[in-house]
Amino acid sequence: DRIVVIVSHDRHFMDEVCTDCLHISGAAKKLTQARGNYSVWHKRRKEQQTLFAKEQKARQDEIDRLREYAGHGFKYGGSASQINKMSMKAKQADKLEEILEEHAEELSALQEDVELPIHISAGGELDGYVVQLQNVGFGYPGATPARLFQHCEFGITSKSRIVLLGENGNGKTTLVK
C-alpha cells in the first residue's frame, strides 16, 4: 500500500484518482478528512454550508422575535409577571446572540472556500510575439561553466505551447522567473 499526496486545481483529475480528501481551513486552523473523491467532498461541503446558513438565520429570527417581545412593554409598565417574562425573553436573546458569535468562526471556516463568480472574455489572438528574447544568457556566480546557456533567442506567440526540459539545476525555473 502506498499513499500519494496530490495538490491540484483539476477537479476532474481529483475525482478520478482520490479516495479521500483533506481540507485545510485557514480560518478555523484545522485539518479535516473526508472519505470519497472531490465531488463527494464538495457536495457534503455545500450541504454543510446550506444547513449552517439555515441554522444561523433561524437563530437570528428567534433573537429578533425575543428582542421584540422583551422590549414591548417596559416603558408602559405592566404586571410583575409580564415584566419577569420580558426579562426572561431578553436573557434568552442574549444567550442566542452569544451562540451566534461563537459560531462566527465556524461560519468563516465554511465560507472561506466560497467561489466568487468570475468571467474572463477571450481577447482574441495577438499579432507577432507576446514575448521575445534576443541574445539571452544565464549563469550562477562562481559556477563552472560560467554560463548555463548563452546567445539564446526565442519568441512566444499567442499560439505557442512550450515545455522547458532539462536536468535539475539547469535554470528552468530561473529562466521563467
Side-chain angles (χ1 to χ4, degrees), residues 16 29 48 64 80 97 106 155 157 167:
E16 293 299 317
K29 294 180 178 43
Q48 286 177 327
D64 294 344
E97 282 179 341
E106 187 176 347
T157 68
E167 297 294 322

Side-chain angles (χ1 to χ4, degrees), residues 37 49 59 62 71 120 160:
N37 64 19
Q49 290 169 335
R59 266 190 209 102
E62 180 69 6
I120 300 175
S160 296

Side-chain angles (χ1 to χ4, degrees), residues 6 23 26 44-45 48 72 78 85-86 102 104-105 125 127 141-142 148 155:
I6 298 170
H23 178 253
R44 284 185 200 140
R45 182 81 166 171
Q48 286 177 327
H72 183 62
K85 192 172 184 180
M86 287 184 250
E102 288 170 7
E105 184 177 301
E125 286 186 28
D127 291 331
L148 291 172

Side-chain angles (χ1 to χ4, degrees), residues 4 6 8 10-20 37-38:
V4 177
I6 298 170
S8 176
D10 186 338
R11 296 171 185 192
H12 301 291
F13 172 74
M14 290 189 292
D15 276 346
E16 293 299 317
V17 300
C18 295
T19 60
D20 294 82
N37 64 19
Y38 177 81

Side-chain angles (χ1 to χ4, degrees), residues 135-156:
N135 200 21
V136 175
F138 176 77
Y140 292 104
T144 305
R147 298 251 185 231
L148 291 172
F149 52 87
Q150 59 187 355
H151 308 297
C152 292
E153 293 187 15
F154 67 92
I156 301 172

Side-chain angles (χ1 to χ4, degrees), residues 22-33 45 48 105-106 109-110 112:
L22 294 175
H23 178 253
I24 301 170
S25 171
K29 294 180 178 43
K30 67 180 182 179
L31 179 70
T32 54
Q33 181 202 7
R45 182 81 166 171
Q48 286 177 327
E105 184 177 301
E106 187 176 347
L110 282 172
E112 73 181 351

Side-chain angles (χ1 to χ4, degrees), residues 3 5 11 16 20 25 37 49 51 58 60-61 63 67 74-75 88 97 104 111 124 146 150 170 177:
I3 295 174
V5 177
R11 296 171 185 192
E16 293 299 317
D20 294 82
S25 171
N37 64 19
Q49 290 169 335
L51 179 63
Q60 188 60 56
D61 291 347
I63 290 169
R67 289 275 180 233
F74 279 120
K75 55 186 166 186
M88 183 182 73
E97 282 179 341
Q111 291 179 336
Q150 59 187 355
N170 281 349
K177 286 179 183 180

